[in-house]
Amino acid sequence: MATKYNKVKQAIKSSILDGTFQPHQKINSESELMKQFDVSRHTVRLAIGDLVTQGWLYRKQGAGTFCSEKTDETIQQVGLNQKNIAIVATYISDYIFPSIIRGAESYLSKQGYHVSLFSTNNDHEIEKKVLEKILTQQYDGVIVEPTKSAVHNPNINYYLNLERLNIPYIMINAYYDELEPLSIVVDDEKGGYLQTEHLIELGHTNIVGIFKSDDIQGSKRMKGYVKAHRHHQVAIKPNNIITYDSKEKATKPVNDLYNILTNSIEVPTAIVCYNDELAIKLLDVLREKNLQVPEDISVVGYDDSFLANVSEVKLTTVDHPKSDMGIKAAEVILELIHQQQGERQNKRDKVTSVVFDPKLVIRSSTQSVSNKIVNQELLFE
Amino acid sequence: MATKYNKVKQAIKSSILDGTFQPHQKINSESELMKQFDVSRHTVRLAIGDLVTQGWLYRKQGAGTFCSEKTDETIQQVGLNQKNIAIVATYISDYIFPSIIRGAESYLSKQGYHVSLFSTNNDHEIEKKVLEKILTQQYDGVIVEPTKSAVHNPNINYYLNLERLNIPYIMINAYYDELEPLSIVVDDEKGGYLQTEHLIELGHTNIVGIFKSDDIQGSKRMKGYVKAHRHHQVAIKPNNIITYDSKEKATKPVNDLYNILTNSIEVPTAIVCYNDELAIKLLDVLREKNLQVPEDISVVGYDDSFLANVSEVKLTTVDHPKSDMGIKAAEVILELIHQQQGERQNKRDKVTSVVFDPKLVIRSSTQSVSNKIVNQELLFE
């Protein structure tokens, strides 16, 4: 019973939050709701009763139940006193995400704010549910890492609803371009350029690049990879570019690299990886093919994560600000909240987006091509 | 038999063109090919024999058949004497595309070039086949309208192969950002801004925006729509944004608009359309809901196509250069070809991308909101 009752309540709230029910719009009749959710009249009445008490709906004798006019205001007033910040990330417990979140959380808790964490698993459906929850439960501000930022976002109305309710939000790592939100990102194109240029300067000309295709970070890093080749007048072998989306993450990069290493006459001498996580996974493929890193093949990661240092080969990689990004995000969202509560005008004027400049971290997974030949010559002497 | 033989031949060529077989790489054995294509040894030998004669493959006694080293060179030499240009567009016979193509064709034929037209129907699989054909048949240059430009392109290796073979290409209307190609586009963000600002200046505040989500033009126009609202401090009703992809084109915009018009308490007073084609389709929905254009609802199109003038209501719209874009594309591709044939160095230095500045064309599908109220007052006097 409790579940059914909550389901009806939540569904009506969702329709209000996503804008389906506008203020003073009549909601579905009791009979319609009974049919729609396959529940008893008693359940429907309980759900509606609760929403009326909470100020979401109002009843008009003989006319039906209507969406309340005061919804926005009610929500907003509740929101402002909570000292609650929501952080929405694609993943929260893996890889570099705990560091980013820890940075934000430590800063926010010092300022007396409570942080709630939500993970979308890089899935638009989950992002939608998370945003609904955030709109229902009221937060003073939201820090979002966009889900599948390189793909059209079907949840844009939820972000516009945050704006309508004056709940500030900022985006980290990437952003939905149409919304032009304040954002804290790394210059990923430059990062991809640095990865590739490092290898070209070491004499490599046959460089595989493996990039994620549904996040904007992947397409920017790939752009940097292409740019570095062009700038140094090195032709890209067309089959040297491998792309994969979130769902193909576990298999495609591994299989495609395996095929390239098996079928190429000129085996590539270097690999630019989307991130360290991928680089570590690919070390297994290289081991299987009896290729030594960096003697036979150089590998560059991205993010300078803990993984770069735990593997048997210490990875050359590009740094990611991690906890500094989290702290910066926390600072910016608090500035926005304070401006929101004080002077509401021109709130977008003072606070600005931040772009971190990436730097190459050189370790032992890369070496010059000529070294390899020298080694072989020594071997045959 | 003939079909089977061509199938084997084409498949081997494709593997060479997409980079799977590199120069001097051994191709599959006769037995493997027989198994792979379920054909007789005779068929395989005929296919390979042809490809050897044409210089794609060479045989090494007792060792097998190999991909020829001279492929690139052979292809290139054939290419340069053809005076052939390929134009690849999402659609070629509908809407504004015939004008664009006519512009390019008339310019190119005056210069003694022959034009071949290919349509991808905005489908990546078809684009792939078209690019394969272009790589096989040799063209001096290619003008491409990208397929699903807002989505990751799986055919990027074919474009890199064009570069490898020194076949210049340019993109029109949109471009794949990772490749940073020379491009001839319209400033679509500004176009979307102009559409929306025009309505806001007429007093509209409840404006539906309907945009295509898989072409970059749609997301840029939507960005302009959001920007105009922000700039004029008009809040966007979250449900007022409708997006659709190529496959949903025929149904989603119509259904979603119908739902908004049916369920909203405050019926929108204006619609920003992705293009004129969509605007015309939506006039039917408005007619069905007994809404007069522009008295009850204003409509803005995009492209200033012939459709803007043939409907019963002449559309306010944004101009598209159409045949001027085609002419410009023809000029640029010829410059690239000439530079290619003369001085090969620094070929990207002189020719530059072009961005056309959009302008609003005001006709009779838009009017100020207050007019409507005045009209009604007059009616009730």
Side-chain angles (χ1 to χ4, degrees):
Chain A
M1 228 314 277
T3 334
K4 282 186 184 174
Y5 148 81
N6 268 322
K7 208 172 128 193
V8 178
K9 220 172 116 178
Q10 191 54 44
I12 297 171
K13 267 197 205 174
S14 289
S15 297
I16 296 171
L17 291 168
D18 76 4
T20 307
F21 293 144
Q22 303 273 325
H24 298 301
Q25 183 170 344
K26 190 177 170 180
I27 70 159
N28 302 351
S29 71
E30 286 185 2
S31 313
E32 283 164 349
L33 291 168
M34 282 164 64
K35 210 168 156 187
Q36 195 178 337
F37 296 99
D38 192 23
V39 294
S40 68
R41 188 171 299 270
H42 179 64
T43 304
V44 168
R45 285 199 176 155
L46 273 181
I48 291 180
D50 257 24
L51 292 170
V52 169
T53 312
Q54 288 167 16
W56 293 86
L57 302 173
Y58 66 91
R59 286 202 190 89
K60 223 158 131 183
Q61 208 60 30
T65 308
F66 296 81
C67 177
S68 172
E69 188 185 25
K70 289 178 184 154
T71 312
D72 293 10
E73 209 180 291
T74 317
I75 288 171
Q76 184 54 11
Q77 281 171 355
V78 177
L80 283 179
N81 302 315
Q82 302 291 312
K83 287 223 160 198
N84 271 339
I85 305 279
I87 300 182
V88 183
T90 50
Y91 306 96
I92 57 176
S93 57
D94 302 337
Y95 197 49
I96 59 168
F97 299 99
S99 306
I100 301 175
I101 291 165
R102 215 177 301 126
E105 200 172 29
S106 67
Y107 186 95
L108 289 168
S109 63
K110 268 183 218 150
Q111 311 289 321
Y113 280 79
H114 174 74
V115 172
S116 305
L117 299 180
F118 300 93
S119 159
T120 70
N121 210 22
N122 217 22
D123 178 321
H124 282 143
E125 263 308 300
I126 303 179
E127 185 192 41
K128 181 185 150 177
K129 282 182 192 141
V130 166
L131 290 170
E132 258 182 18
K133 205 167 205 169
I134 288 171
L135 282 161
T136 322
Q137 297 183 342
Q138 304 325 309
Y139 288 90
D140 302 289
V142 190
I143 297 171
V144 188
E145 186 197 28
T147 286
K148 294 194 181 179
S149 49
V151 173
H152 169 72
N153 187 288
N155 299 322
I156 214 146
N157 54 337
Y158 290 94
Y159 290 102
L160 291 173
N161 247 325
L162 286 173
E163 293 182 23
R164 193 168 61 100
L165 301 175
N166 290 319
I167 301 171
Y169 63 90
I170 59 166
M171 301 208 172
I172 57 171
N173 274 335
Y175 54 87
Y176 300 126
D177 188 47
E178 298 95 327
L179 289 170
E180 293 193 278
L182 282 175
S183 61
I184 322 284
V185 300
V186 178
D187 183 344
D188 283 296
E189 182 181 324
K190 184 170 172 191
Y193 188 94
L194 290 175
Q195 290 180 296
T196 314
E197 183 172 57
H198 169 61
L199 293 168
I200 292 173
E201 284 173 346
L202 288 171
H204 296 273
T205 55
N206 190 350
I207 306 167
V208 170
I210 313 186
F211 306 98
K212 198 145 179 279
S213 62
D214 51 359
D215 286 336
I216 203 81
Q217 294 98 306
S219 90
K220 296 255 186 204
R221 289 173 199 174
M222 175 166 158
K223 192 173 170 186
Y225 164 94
V226 173
K227 214 162 185 159
H229 276 85
R230 288 209 175 122
H231 187 242
H232 291 274
Q233 301 190 303
V234 175
I236 297 174
K237 295 207 169 41
N239 267 37
N240 273 354
I241 295 184
I242 298 172
T243 57
Y244 64 100
D245 65 26
S246 301
K247 274 181 199 152
E248 301 167 328
K249 190 175 148 178
T251 50
K252 189 164 186 280
V254 168
N255 295 342
D256 284 9
L257 178 65
Y258 189 90
N259 287 338
I260 287 183
L261 295 176
T262 309
N263 298 323
S264 298
I265 292 294
E266 293 177 52
V267 175
T269 61
I271 306 173
V272 165
C273 299
Y274 171 67
N275 64 12
D276 294 345
E277 197 179 13
L278 177 68
I280 295 298
K281 204 177 291 169
L282 297 180
L283 290 181
D284 287 340
V285 181
L286 300 178
R287 212 173 289 121
E288 199 178 325
K289 300 297 286 182
N290 283 320
L291 291 168
Q292 301 292 321
V293 177
E295 293 78 4
D296 299 317
I297 193 158
S298 289
V299 175
V300 186
Y302 201 110
D303 287 336
D304 194 16
S305 68
F306 66 97
L307 292 170
N309 268 310
V310 296
S311 57
E312 75 279 17
V313 189
K314 309 301 171 217
L315 287 178
T316 294
T317 185
V318 172
D319 67 353
H320 182 289
K322 293 185 277 285
S323 83
D324 285 347
M325 176 181 273
I327 292 169
K328 196 74 211 165
E331 281 175 15
V332 170
I333 198 73
L334 287 191
E335 275 183 72
L336 288 175
I337 291 169
H338 294 327
Q339 289 194 5
Q340 182 83 339
Q341 291 172 344
E343 27 179 304
R344 282 177 185 247
Q345 294 301 316
N346 304 321
K347 66 169 196 265
R348 288 175 71 91
D349 287 353
K350 290 179 196 164
V351 193
T352 54
S353 291
V354 177
V355 180
F356 282 94
D357 199 37
K359 274 176 197 61
L360 192 71
V361 180
I362 300 176
R363 296 208 182 85
S364 53
S365 66
T366 49
Q367 75 173 37
S368 97
V369 181
S370 49
N371 280 0
K372 185 191 160 190
I373 297 159
V374 172
N375 287 346
Q376 283 182 338
E377 277 169 2
L378 288 172
L379 217 68
F380 286 103
E381 260 175 14
Chain B
M1 226 318 274
T3 335
K4 280 185 184 176
Y5 147 81
N6 268 322
K7 209 173 127 192
V8 177
K9 220 173 116 178
Q10 191 54 44
I12 297 171
K13 265 197 204 173
S14 287
S15 297
I16 296 171
L17 291 168
D18 77 4
T20 306
F21 293 143
Q22 302 274 323
H24 297 302
Q25 182 170 344
K26 190 177 171 182
I27 70 158
N28 302 351
S29 71
E30 286 184 2
S31 311
E32 282 165 350
L33 290 169
M34 282 164 64
K35 210 169 154 187
Q36 195 180 335
F37 294 99
D38 192 22
V39 293
S40 68
R41 187 172 300 273
H42 179 64
T43 304
V44 168
R45 284 196 176 157
L46 274 181
I48 289 179
D50 258 24
L51 292 171
V52 168
T53 312
Q54 288 168 16
W56 292 86
L57 301 173
Y58 66 92
R59 286 204 189 87
K60 224 160 133 183
Q61 207 62 27
T65 308
F66 296 80
C67 178
S68 171
E69 189 184 24
K70 287 178 185 154
T71 311
D72 292 10
E73 211 179 290
T74 318
I75 288 171
Q76 183 52 14
Q77 280 170 357
V78 176
L80 282 180
N81 301 316
Q82 302 292 313
K83 287 225 160 198
N84 270 340
I85 305 278
I87 299 182
V88 183
T90 51
Y91 307 97
I92 55 177
S93 57
D94 302 337
Y95 197 49
I96 58 168
F97 299 99
S99 306
I100 300 175
I101 292 164
R102 216 177 299 127
E105 200 172 29
S106 67
Y107 187 94
L108 290 168
S109 64
K110 268 183 219 150
Q111 311 290 319
Y113 280 80
H114 174 74
V115 172
S116 304
L117 298 180
F118 300 93
S119 158
T120 70
N121 210 20
N122 217 21
D123 177 320
H124 282 143
E125 263 309 300
I126 303 178
E127 186 191 38
K128 181 185 152 176
K129 282 181 191 138
V130 166
L131 291 170
E132 258 181 19
K133 205 166 206 171
I134 289 172
L135 282 161
T136 322
Q137 297 182 342
Q138 303 326 310
Y139 288 89
D140 302 289
V142 190
I143 297 171
V144 188
E145 186 197 27
T147 285
K148 292 195 183 177
S149 50
V151 173
H152 169 72
N153 186 287
N155 299 323
I156 214 143
N157 53 337
Y158 291 94
Y159 290 102
L160 291 172
N161 246 326
L162 286 173
E163 293 182 23
R164 193 167 64 99
L165 302 175
N166 290 320
I167 301 171
Y169 63 90
I170 59 166
M171 301 210 170
I172 57 170
N173 274 334
Y175 54 87
Y176 301 126
D177 188 49
E178 298 94 329
L179 290 170
E180 292 191 278
L182 282 175
S183 61
I184 321 283
V185 300
V186 178
D187 183 345
D188 283 296
E189 182 181 323
K190 186 170 172 190
Y193 188 95
L194 290 175
Q195 290 180 296
T196 314
E197 184 172 57
H198 169 61
L199 293 168
I200 292 174
E201 283 173 347
L202 288 172
H204 296 273
T205 55
N206 190 352
I207 306 167
V208 169
I210 312 186
F211 306 99
K212 199 145 176 280
S213 61
D214 50 359
D215 286 337
I216 204 80
Q217 295 97 306
S219 91
K220 297 254 188 208
R221 288 172 199 175
M222 176 165 155
K223 192 173 169 186
Y225 164 93
V226 172
K227 215 164 183 158
H229 275 86
R230 287 208 176 123
H231 186 242
H232 290 275
Q233 302 191 303
V234 176
I236 297 174
K237 296 208 167 45
N239 268 37
N240 272 354
I241 296 183
I242 297 172
T243 58
Y244 63 99
D245 64 27
S246 301
K247 275 182 199 152
E248 301 167 329
K249 192 174 147 178
T251 51
K252 190 164 186 281
V254 168
N255 294 342
D256 283 10
L257 179 65
Y258 189 89
N259 287 337
I260 287 184
L261 295 175
T262 309
N263 298 322
S264 299
I265 292 296
E266 292 177 52
V267 175
T269 61
I271 306 174
V272 165
C273 300
Y274 171 67
N275 64 12
D276 294 345
E277 197 179 13
L278 176 68
I280 295 297
K281 203 177 292 168
L282 296 181
L283 290 182
D284 287 339
V285 181
L286 300 178
R287 211 173 289 121
E288 199 178 323
K289 301 296 287 183
N290 284 317
L291 291 168
Q292 301 292 321
V293 178
E295 293 79 4
D296 300 316
I297 193 158
S298 289
V299 175
V300 186
Y302 201 109
D303 286 335
D304 194 16
S305 68
F306 66 97
L307 293 170
N309 268 309
V310 297
S311 58
E312 74 279 16
V313 189
K314 309 301 172 217
L315 287 179
T316 295
T317 186
V318 172
D319 66 354
H320 182 289
K322 295 184 277 288
S323 84
D324 285 347
M325 177 182 273
I327 293 168
K328 196 74 212 166
E331 281 175 16
V332 169
I333 198 73
L334 288 191
E335 276 184 70
L336 287 175
I337 291 168
H338 295 327
Q339 289 195 4
Q340 182 83 339
Q341 291 171 346
E343 27 180 301
R344 281 176 188 250
Q345 294 302 317
N346 304 322
K347 66 168 193 264
R348 289 175 70 89
D349 286 353
K350 287 178 198 164
V351 193
T352 55
S353 291
V354 177
V355 180
F356 282 95
D357 199 37
K359 274 177 198 58
L360 192 71
V361 181
I362 299 177
R363 294 207 183 86
S364 54
S365 67
T366 50
Q367 76 173 37
S368 97
V369 181
S370 48
N371 279 2
K372 184 193 160 189
I373 297 161
V374 173
N375 288 348
Q376 283 181 338
E377 277 170 1
L378 289 172
L379 218 68
F380 286 105
E381 260 174 17

